[in-house]
Amino acid sequence: MSIQKTLGEFIVEKQSDFPHAKGELSALLSAIKLAAKIVNREINKAGLVDITGASGVENIQGEQQQKLDMYANEIFKNALIARGEVCGIASEEEDNYVFFDNKNSRNGNYIVLMDPLDGSSNIDVNVSVGTIFSIYRRVSPLGGPVNMEDFLQVGRKQVAAGYVIYGSSTMLVFTTGHGVHGFTYDPSIGVFCLSHESLTIPKTGKIYSINEGNYIKFPLGVKKYLKYCQEKDESTNRPYTSRYIGSLVADFHRNLLKGGIYIYPQTAQAPSGKLRLLYECNPIAFLAEQAGALATDGYNPILDLKPTELHQRVPFFTGSPEMMATAHEFIAKFKDE
Ligand code: P6P
């Protein structure tokens, strides 16, 4: 029986892949690994203890904060503070960025942006949810406070990014710019084991993921692309299959493995779409490009967009390159209608 490589062993083995890191990025990823195990434990018993459901508090997005959202935020924040490599974080659950102002952390070289529990409205109905994280080197002077410039870096500057998916099994999927690698959690021994090395998305697929309930509000090009997906044409394997569970991490992960496209477009009411650039779209886009997929706002690569504010939203298209090319053609063709 072969013993799979653990995440810890993999990080040590790939140490030379981490730019500048003298083991710091490795320690940072280990902190994320620890926090993921703790959050996983709480999610797996969420139905048993009073930790599901809304907390009665709204976050800056004006969304009902779920208790597990806040719990996950604290767990990841504390795990990162404890390690000293991180000098500050930004989070969907925090109105502003947080400076880790202690002697241990203020010399940290890295900042982390995260969505601690994405898709959390699914928790109460036992549907997969996820954590998304994005890691940059700080640009502010070492030893001093972090500032907004640290957090508004363009996505291409990320040194690492990943997600944890709490699903039928719990997986941690990450990249440091040298491919995308997936680790499946084995709770019987408490370790993440390498299960998907060098993940690469199929060039095309048969799955499209979008909330079709918003159809009448979509731009014409998106509507035309959806009709294209639904038409019968055996030569291009259509009609495609619609799969959308309202959890970006789960929808992206499935499409990464099977091929597909995920779309959260702008609408007249939400001209910038819904998903947040810094801690949802940028990390997923880094993973996407590392896995041979594309990630755009319908026109430009997500990773090239210059952020202007912490919680800004962008339209988000990501998936198999051939499906993305076709979607872009429809969007370009009907962009002025
Ligand atoms: P809707 C979850 O709130 C999220 O940010 C993504 O995980 C998910 O894909 C999307 O929003 C779902 O949004 O409007 O379709 O419910």
Side-chain angles (χ1 to χ4, degrees):
M1 182 187 88
S2 69
I3 303 287
Q4 280 300 348
K5 195 177 297 179
T6 68
L7 175 56
E9 290 162 344
F10 185 87
I11 290 172
V12 169
E13 180 187 293
K14 300 289 182 183
Q15 179 64 53
S16 57
D17 286 347
F18 301 156
H20 324 290
K22 299 177 290 298
E24 298 155 313
L25 191 56
S26 309
L28 201 173
L29 288 169
S30 294
I32 289 173
K33 176 179 71 172
L34 173 64
K37 290 179 185 178
I38 297 169
V39 170
N40 177 65
R41 181 189 63 198
E42 294 309 312
I43 285 176
N44 285 347
K45 62 183 185 186
L48 301 173
V49 297
D50 178 29
I51 199 162
T52 60
S55 63
V57 174
E58 273 199 354
N59 63 18
I60 193 170
Q61 331 289 343
E63 294 164 347
Q64 265 300 328
Q65 251 179 347
Q66 303 288 335
K67 288 177 185 169
L68 259 175
D69 271 325
M70 297 164 77
Y71 175 81
N73 191 56
E74 291 309 307
I75 293 296
F76 276 93
K77 197 162 57 170
N78 294 337
L80 293 169
I81 289 177
R83 291 298 177 98
E85 286 74 25
V86 175
C87 55
I89 61 113
S91 166
E92 178 178 282
E93 306 309 329
E94 303 278 353
D95 294 355
N96 203 343
Y97 59 77
V98 177
F99 172 39
F100 292 167
D101 187 8
N102 64 67
K103 65 178 175 30
N104 190 28
S105 303
R106 72 170 67 91
N107 289 306
N109 276 311
Y110 297 94
I111 59 108
V112 176
L113 297 107
M114 64 182 178
D115 183 354
L117 209 57
D118 178 70
S120 53
S121 56
N122 282 319
I123 291 166
D124 293 351
V125 293
N126 217 3
V127 167
S128 302
V129 292
T131 297
I132 310 172
F133 60 90
S134 170
I135 304 172
Y136 294 82
R137 289 182 67 82
R138 73 183 302 176
V139 293
S140 53
L142 215 51
V146 293
N147 58 43
M148 192 57 88
E149 195 189 344
D150 287 310
F151 298 94
L152 297 185
Q153 298 182 57
V154 69
R156 249 184 238 291
K157 292 278 191 185
Q158 291 175 95
V159 293
Y163 56 80
V164 183
I165 177 169
Y166 310 97
S168 49
S169 67
T170 293
M171 278 188 72
L172 191 152
V173 178
F174 81 98
T175 183
T176 60
H178 297 267
V180 175
H181 311 290
F183 298 79
T184 300
Y185 185 54
D186 180 342
S188 69
I189 51 175
V191 292
F192 283 95
C193 298
L194 181 63
S195 54
H196 299 71
E197 187 164 7
S198 302
L199 274 168
T200 305
I201 196 168
K203 290 204 177 313
T204 191
K206 278 183 57 86
I207 295 170
Y208 67 99
S209 306
I210 187 169
N211 184 341
E212 294 189 67
N214 298 323
Y215 178 82
I216 55 172
K217 297 184 269 186
F218 289 154
L220 183 56
V222 171
K223 289 179 177 174
K224 293 288 189 183
Y225 177 65
L226 290 183
K227 291 307 160 199
Y228 169 85
C229 292
Q230 294 158 358
E231 284 165 353
K232 183 169 175 53
D233 174 37
E234 287 180 13
S235 69
T236 52
N237 259 331
R238 287 180 289 144
Y240 295 155
T241 298
S242 174
R243 286 285 183 276
Y244 186 78
I245 64 169
S247 201
L248 169 61
V249 170
D251 282 320
F252 177 78
H253 184 73
R254 178 199 54 244
N255 293 354
L256 176 62
L257 298 180
K258 294 183 173 236
I261 187 169
Y262 171 99
I263 300 175
Y264 206 106
Q266 68 279 23
T267 63
Q269 295 76 4
S272 298
K274 174 186 181 185
L275 300 188
R276 274 68 70 168
L277 173 59
L278 295 189
Y279 40 78
E280 290 177 319
C281 301
N282 267 336
I284 295 295
F286 188 14
L287 290 157
E289 291 198 1
Q290 283 290 312
L294 296 178
T296 71
D297 61 1
Y299 300 94
N300 307 298
I302 289 290
L303 294 180
D304 293 338
L305 301 180
K306 179 65 183 86
T308 54
E309 52 185 84
L310 219 42
H311 300 287
Q312 79 182 78
R313 301 172 191 268
V314 288
F316 193 48
F317 298 70
T318 187
S320 297
E322 291 177 11
M323 299 180 83
M324 286 285 287
T326 305
H328 286 149
E329 284 168 19
F330 279 99
I331 291 161
K333 183 176 177 184
F334 296 98
K335 72 179 169 61
D336 298 324
E337 296 188 44

